[in-house]
Short mmCIF file of all heavy atoms in Angstrom, two decimals:
data_model
loop_
_atom_site.label_atom_id
_atom_site.label_comp_id
_atom_site.label_asym_id
_atom_site.label_seq_id
_atom_site.Cartn_x
_atom_site.Cartn_y
_atom_site.Cartn_z
N THR A 17 61.87 -6.71 -97.83
CA THR A 17 61.22 -7.14 -96.58
C THR A 17 62.18 -7.87 -95.63
O THR A 17 61.79 -8.25 -94.54
CB THR A 17 60.01 -8.07 -96.85
OG1 THR A 17 60.49 -9.33 -97.33
CG2 THR A 17 59.05 -7.47 -97.86
N GLY A 18 63.42 -8.09 -96.08
CA GLY A 18 64.40 -8.73 -95.18
C GLY A 18 64.90 -10.05 -95.71
O GLY A 18 64.88 -10.29 -96.92
N GLY A 19 65.38 -10.88 -94.79
CA GLY A 19 65.95 -12.18 -95.19
C GLY A 19 67.45 -12.10 -95.35
O GLY A 19 68.07 -11.04 -95.13
N THR A 20 68.02 -13.20 -95.76
CA THR A 20 69.48 -13.32 -95.85
C THR A 20 70.10 -12.34 -96.84
O THR A 20 71.21 -11.87 -96.63
CB THR A 20 69.84 -14.77 -96.27
OG1 THR A 20 69.45 -15.62 -95.21
CG2 THR A 20 71.32 -14.94 -96.53
N MET A 21 69.40 -12.00 -97.91
CA MET A 21 69.97 -11.12 -98.91
C MET A 21 70.47 -9.81 -98.29
O MET A 21 71.49 -9.28 -98.67
CB MET A 21 68.96 -10.84 -100.03
CG MET A 21 69.64 -10.28 -101.27
SD MET A 21 68.49 -9.79 -102.54
CE MET A 21 68.13 -11.30 -103.36
N GLY A 22 69.74 -9.33 -97.30
CA GLY A 22 70.10 -8.06 -96.67
C GLY A 22 70.91 -8.21 -95.40
O GLY A 22 70.91 -7.30 -94.56
N MET A 23 71.59 -9.33 -95.23
CA MET A 23 72.43 -9.52 -94.04
C MET A 23 73.84 -9.02 -94.34
O MET A 23 74.26 -8.91 -95.49
CB MET A 23 72.53 -11.01 -93.67
CG MET A 23 71.21 -11.70 -93.48
SD MET A 23 70.35 -11.21 -92.00
CE MET A 23 71.18 -12.22 -90.81
N ARG A 30 71.89 -7.71 -89.49
CA ARG A 30 71.08 -7.27 -90.64
C ARG A 30 71.47 -5.83 -90.96
O ARG A 30 71.58 -5.00 -90.06
CB ARG A 30 69.61 -7.33 -90.22
CG ARG A 30 68.62 -6.89 -91.28
CD ARG A 30 67.19 -7.12 -90.79
NE ARG A 30 67.00 -8.50 -90.38
CZ ARG A 30 66.92 -9.53 -91.21
NH1 ARG A 30 67.00 -9.33 -92.50
NH2 ARG A 30 66.75 -10.75 -90.75
N MET A 61 62.63 -7.94 -91.74
CA MET A 61 62.72 -8.91 -90.65
C MET A 61 63.11 -10.28 -91.19
O MET A 61 63.05 -10.52 -92.40
CB MET A 61 61.38 -9.01 -89.90
CG MET A 61 60.20 -9.34 -90.79
SD MET A 61 58.66 -9.59 -89.88
CE MET A 61 58.37 -7.98 -89.21
N ASP A 62 63.51 -11.14 -90.27
CA ASP A 62 63.72 -12.53 -90.64
C ASP A 62 62.34 -13.09 -91.02
O ASP A 62 61.35 -12.84 -90.31
CB ASP A 62 64.28 -13.28 -89.43
CG ASP A 62 64.71 -14.68 -89.79
OD1 ASP A 62 63.82 -15.53 -90.08
OD2 ASP A 62 65.91 -14.95 -89.79
N SER A 63 62.27 -13.82 -92.08
CA SER A 63 60.94 -14.21 -92.55
C SER A 63 60.25 -15.20 -91.62
O SER A 63 59.05 -15.44 -91.75
CB SER A 63 60.98 -14.73 -93.98
OG SER A 63 61.47 -16.03 -94.04
N SER A 64 60.98 -15.77 -90.67
CA SER A 64 60.27 -16.65 -89.73
C SER A 64 59.36 -15.83 -88.81
O SER A 64 58.50 -16.40 -88.13
CB SER A 64 61.24 -17.55 -88.95
OG SER A 64 62.35 -16.83 -88.55
N ASP A 65 59.55 -14.50 -88.78
CA ASP A 65 58.66 -13.65 -87.97
C ASP A 65 57.49 -13.09 -88.79
O ASP A 65 56.65 -12.37 -88.26
CB ASP A 65 59.45 -12.46 -87.40
CG ASP A 65 60.37 -12.89 -86.28
OD1 ASP A 65 60.00 -13.81 -85.53
OD2 ASP A 65 61.47 -12.32 -86.16
N VAL A 66 57.45 -13.40 -90.06
CA VAL A 66 56.39 -12.83 -90.93
C VAL A 66 55.08 -13.58 -90.70
O VAL A 66 55.06 -14.79 -90.52
CB VAL A 66 56.82 -12.95 -92.42
CG1 VAL A 66 55.66 -12.71 -93.36
CG2 VAL A 66 57.96 -11.97 -92.72
N HIS A 92 62.60 -11.25 -100.12
CA HIS A 92 61.99 -11.90 -98.95
C HIS A 92 62.92 -12.97 -98.41
O HIS A 92 63.66 -13.60 -99.18
CB HIS A 92 60.68 -12.55 -99.43
CG HIS A 92 59.69 -12.88 -98.36
ND1 HIS A 92 59.88 -13.92 -97.47
CD2 HIS A 92 58.51 -12.31 -98.03
CE1 HIS A 92 58.83 -13.99 -96.65
NE2 HIS A 92 57.98 -13.01 -96.96
N GLY A 93 62.89 -13.22 -97.13
CA GLY A 93 63.64 -14.34 -96.57
C GLY A 93 63.13 -15.65 -97.14
O GLY A 93 61.94 -15.77 -97.47
N THR A 94 64.02 -16.61 -97.27
CA THR A 94 63.61 -17.85 -97.93
C THR A 94 62.73 -18.74 -97.04
O THR A 94 61.94 -19.53 -97.55
CB THR A 94 64.85 -18.68 -98.36
OG1 THR A 94 65.65 -18.93 -97.22
CG2 THR A 94 65.65 -17.95 -99.42
N ASP A 95 62.89 -18.60 -95.71
CA ASP A 95 62.23 -19.56 -94.82
C ASP A 95 60.72 -19.62 -95.02
O ASP A 95 60.14 -20.70 -95.01
CB ASP A 95 62.54 -19.23 -93.35
CG ASP A 95 63.99 -19.56 -93.00
OD1 ASP A 95 64.65 -20.24 -93.80
OD2 ASP A 95 64.45 -19.13 -91.92
N THR A 96 60.08 -18.48 -95.15
CA THR A 96 58.62 -18.50 -95.30
C THR A 96 58.17 -17.83 -96.61
O THR A 96 57.03 -17.41 -96.73
CB THR A 96 57.90 -17.83 -94.10
OG1 THR A 96 58.19 -16.44 -94.10
CG2 THR A 96 58.32 -18.45 -92.78
N MET A 97 59.09 -17.76 -97.56
CA MET A 97 58.75 -17.10 -98.83
C MET A 97 57.55 -17.79 -99.51
O MET A 97 56.69 -17.13 -100.09
CB MET A 97 59.96 -17.12 -99.77
CG MET A 97 59.81 -16.13 -100.89
SD MET A 97 61.09 -16.16 -102.14
CE MET A 97 62.61 -16.22 -101.30
N GLY A 119 64.88 -14.10 -103.17
CA GLY A 119 65.73 -13.94 -101.99
C GLY A 119 67.05 -14.60 -102.32
O GLY A 119 67.39 -14.77 -103.50
N SER A 120 67.79 -14.98 -101.30
CA SER A 120 69.05 -15.66 -101.59
C SER A 120 69.49 -16.48 -100.40
O SER A 120 69.02 -16.27 -99.28
CB SER A 120 70.12 -14.64 -101.97
OG SER A 120 70.35 -13.77 -100.88
N GLN A 121 70.40 -17.37 -100.65
CA GLN A 121 70.95 -18.22 -99.60
C GLN A 121 72.17 -17.56 -98.94
O GLN A 121 72.56 -17.94 -97.85
CB GLN A 121 71.35 -19.59 -100.17
CG GLN A 121 70.19 -20.43 -100.65
CD GLN A 121 69.44 -21.08 -99.49
OE1 GLN A 121 68.93 -20.39 -98.61
NE2 GLN A 121 69.36 -22.40 -99.50
N ARG A 122 72.80 -16.62 -99.66
CA ARG A 122 73.93 -15.89 -99.10
C ARG A 122 73.65 -14.39 -99.24
O ARG A 122 72.97 -13.96 -100.17
CB ARG A 122 75.23 -16.24 -99.84
CG ARG A 122 75.52 -17.73 -99.88
CD ARG A 122 76.99 -17.99 -100.17
NE ARG A 122 77.77 -17.97 -98.95
CZ ARG A 122 79.08 -17.67 -98.90
NH1 ARG A 122 79.72 -17.35 -99.99
NH2 ARG A 122 79.71 -17.67 -97.75
N PHE A 153 64.02 -18.38 -108.14
CA PHE A 153 65.17 -18.82 -107.37
C PHE A 153 66.02 -19.75 -108.23
O PHE A 153 65.50 -20.66 -108.87
CB PHE A 153 64.72 -19.58 -106.10
CG PHE A 153 65.54 -19.21 -104.90
CD1 PHE A 153 65.21 -18.12 -104.11
CD2 PHE A 153 66.67 -19.95 -104.56
CE1 PHE A 153 65.98 -17.75 -103.01
CE2 PHE A 153 67.44 -19.60 -103.46
CZ PHE A 153 67.10 -18.51 -102.68
N LYS A 165 60.19 -24.55 -99.68
CA LYS A 165 61.64 -24.52 -99.49
C LYS A 165 62.09 -25.94 -99.19
O LYS A 165 61.56 -26.58 -98.27
CB LYS A 165 62.01 -23.57 -98.33
CG LYS A 165 63.51 -23.47 -98.12
CD LYS A 165 63.90 -22.44 -97.07
CE LYS A 165 65.41 -22.45 -96.88
NZ LYS A 165 65.86 -21.49 -95.85
N ILE A 168 68.26 -26.24 -97.06
CA ILE A 168 68.79 -25.21 -96.16
C ILE A 168 70.08 -24.63 -96.73
O ILE A 168 70.36 -23.46 -96.56
CB ILE A 168 69.02 -25.82 -94.76
CG1 ILE A 168 67.67 -26.22 -94.15
CG2 ILE A 168 69.76 -24.85 -93.83
CD1 ILE A 168 67.77 -27.10 -92.93
N PHE A 174 64.39 -24.25 -103.73
CA PHE A 174 62.93 -24.41 -103.80
C PHE A 174 62.53 -25.51 -104.77
O PHE A 174 63.28 -25.86 -105.68
CB PHE A 174 62.27 -23.08 -104.22
CG PHE A 174 62.26 -22.07 -103.09
CD1 PHE A 174 63.38 -21.29 -102.85
CD2 PHE A 174 61.17 -21.97 -102.24
CE1 PHE A 174 63.41 -20.40 -101.79
CE2 PHE A 174 61.19 -21.08 -101.18
CZ PHE A 174 62.31 -20.29 -100.95
N1 LIG B 22 66.16 -16.81 -91.95
C1 LIG B 22 66.20 -16.21 -93.26
C2 LIG B 22 64.81 -15.73 -93.59
O1 LIG B 22 64.01 -16.44 -94.08
C3 LIG B 22 66.70 -17.17 -94.26
C4 LIG B 22 66.84 -16.63 -95.65
O2 LIG B 22 66.50 -15.53 -96.00
O3 LIG B 22 67.36 -17.39 -96.49
O4 LIG B 22 64.50 -14.62 -93.34
#
Side-chain angles (χ1 to χ4, degrees):
T17 70
T20 294
M21 197 185 278
M23 305 289 278
R30 180 175 305 288
M61 56 175 66
D62 188 290
S63 77
S64 42
D65 287 326
V66 166
H92 199 287
T94 57
D95 288 348
T96 67
M97 197 185 314
S120 62
Q121 293 283 59
R122 305 200 86 206
F153 222 86
K165 182 174 177 181
I168 295 167
F174 285 84

